[in-house]
Amino acid sequence: MAKSSADDEELRRACQAAIEGSKQKIMISIRVAKRRGIWGKSGKLASYMAKPRVLALCLKSEGHKKQAFLRVLKYSSGGVIEPAKLYKLKHLSRVEVITNEPSGCTFTMGFDNLSSQSVAPPQWTMRNIDDRNRILFCILNVCKEAFGRLPKVVGIDVVEMALWAKENKPSVITQKNQQAGHGPVSTRVAESDLKVTSLNVEGLNPILNSHNMVHSYVMGIGEAEAFSARLKRELLALEAANVHAMLESEPLVEEVLQGLDAATHCVDDMDEWLGTFNVKLRHIREDIESIETRNNKLEMHSVNNKALIQELDKLLERLCVPSEYATCMSRGKFDEARMTQNIEACEWLTGALRGIEVPNLDSTYGNMRAVKEKRAELEKLKATFVRRASGFLIKYFANLVDSVMSDKNYFSQRGQLKQPDHADLRYKCRIYAHLLQHLKSLDKNCLLPLRKAYCSSLNLLLRREAREFANELRASTKVSISPTTWLEGSPGGNQIGNSTDTSALSDAYIKMLTIFIPLLVDESSFLAHFMCFEVPALVPPGVGANGNKRGSNDDLGIMNMDSNDSKADLQSLNESLQDLLDGIHEDFYAVVDWAYKIDPLRCISMHLITERYLSGQQADAAGFVRVLLGYLASKISLQFNRFVDEACHQIERNEHNVRQMGILPYIPRFATLAIRMEQYAQGQSRDLVDQAYTKLVSIIFVTLEKVAQTDPKTYDIFLLENYAAFLNSLYDVANFVPTLAKFYQQASGAYEEACMRHINMLIHSQFERLFQFARKIKDLMFTVSPEEIQFQLGLSKMEFRKMLKSSLSGFDKSIAAMHKKLQKSLTSQELLPSLWEMCKKAFMDKYVGITQLAARIYPTESIPSVSEIRNLLASL
């Protein structure tokens, strides 16, 4: 017999290495084949190929507590053993040996903690019976010792297993194979390994104790031949005694025989009688069975006929049309008093149509002629009722709106603004809300003309209300017209400073939105519910029901739906909202245009108001109202941009004026305009205002450059004066407006550049020879050493002394002439002190460079010191 894998030390070491780090010690490891079985069919093996596995029984000790595990290890693609599954033996509840399997080497194990008990446990197949018994005895012994209980064992004799355990108790000393060049080596088995295969058989089953008792009794008799001879002697003695007793009781035997004969005759007679009775009973039984069969058939016919009558009665009830409902639906009226009857008739008709459709009615009834005829009759009745109800509602909506529009007192009149009130209108419409729901359930297509009629009628009312309200709002608001030429005119003009208060324009726009936006929202929501649109709560465009952004296809702000029916209803609702509010924006545009003509800057406050309403519509119920507000915001932005473009054209006109002198008039006016715009913006609507600032200031700077280039002599003076005026006028506003602060820095840089160019021109024109001499020296220093420059032509010490004498002999007069020239060139005398200080500082910086150059080239020559020149400048 081949060596068992349970004794394979290399296998055990490979398994121990696979679970290294788990603090578990392998007690026994054995190779098995894994198959998948089926619950309740223990003998049926899986049809696919078995998988090689290794079962390893492991122990883990934590102090006095011991844990037992059954590990399943598998072979990787490289033939290396690796862990596959881990079972805790404390959850082992059942061990079943497959009895119908021919080899008897297959068993299954059931655990009570598996997540899915409906999946059959795997079947484990050993190489032979000894391997099967060894692993099972090891598992049972560990369960007994560690947990004090045994799992349920099915399909194996416990006594047979116990006897096998006694016969196969392993020796303590095992022999290893003789290696090359070595003799047999004795190896002592570890104590834990001995416990694995040496089981406590008496603890498994009480049957083993009785077996031991029988075995001990047999062993106490002696030789088997003596015992057999004794039994034979006793048997012969018993037979002889029986023969003697029979000879002595012969008379008694004869009497018994006579009695037996008499009893035999009686039994024969009884048998004849029973045979006769049996024939008669058989005929009676056949008659009874025939009667019962006919009776059962009659009873079945009776039951079937009764059930058929009941089904036909139910079918007749379904097919019967009550006369009151038929009259109501074909010739009834639709006034408010009879709406209850109409609703009841609709409910009955809906139920009747649904009742004769296939899952509510058996399909076998559907082909009956009576059912087909009744279905056609109900369809005709439905078409008649839908046509009559639709025609009535279309006329009702038109008449309801006409009655409101014929009342002039309902709308705003001269001297009286009236807020539209649709409460009574909606009350009269709600009377037919249930009727509309039933019409939709009867025929969805009938709602399209009803929706168009309702939206068209109500649109006329909404547009007239908005038109009358807007006209009276403009007529009742008295505001003086502000100048439209903000940045042009004579320099002495003061149009902006004397501008009137136009806050009434913003108040009028707010009143228009306050009155009509909630009204339009309510009407949109009422339309969605009244006209039975199967869409959820409406949400703003670009935002889904969960707050996420959506695509641009939701132009009315209604949430997308998954089903095709809901998408169709969504598109239909969008079209109805378009019909309901079509053209209403024109009256809002009229208010915006009116406010723009009076005060274009009021576009800023109106844009701010519109943005607030847009932010307040985030969770509202009418997406088209939000679209209307978006149109209004775009219209206001367009008008404001138109104003900015006109202002830019006003600035560009200055470019064509010849001989511009001094500060251009639009620079201080722009500062006043910016202050006014910030007052209207109130720290908000920054995008609109900042874009205007960027456009206006950019065109101001470009125009300044173009105007300055018309006269090169006054180029720098013109730029520095205008940039200085720009900086002075915008100083306060630029402190809290980031966009203007950026342009303020740009103008400041341009101002300093223009100042430096003009100052350098004055200095060089007054001390031209001094600075030309220094420039020659600097140019020559690139090719000649400093010590040799004084020997060059025109740069000798004599020439240096002549240059100093001619340039600095009348220094005070030269400085006074330079100051006078600077004063004469300026038209804004307030700039003179700062420019003169800049001029003196620039001259001293240049003179310091000249003194340093002279000390290096002409070290022996004397030159006025820097401190002397600085003191002389300070005294002038």
Side-chain angles (χ1 to χ4, degrees), residues 810-825:
F811 182 74
D812 54 347
K813 293 181 180 180
S814 298
I815 294 298
M818 188 169 61
H819 181 272
K820 186 176 181 181
K821 193 173 183 179
L822 177 63
Q823 183 179 9
K824 186 178 179 180
S825 64

Side-chain angles (χ1 to χ4, degrees), residues 720-756:
L720 69 88
E721 286 183 342
N722 280 277
Y723 279 125
F726 182 85
L727 295 174
N728 292 333
S729 60
L730 285 180
Y731 177 77
D732 295 331
V733 183
N735 284 332
F736 59 87
V737 179
T739 303
L740 290 180
K742 179 183 68 175
F743 289 112
Y744 188 90
Q745 295 295 331
Q746 181 179 346
S748 179
Y751 169 75
E752 292 179 358
E753 291 176 0
C755 288
M756 292 308 299

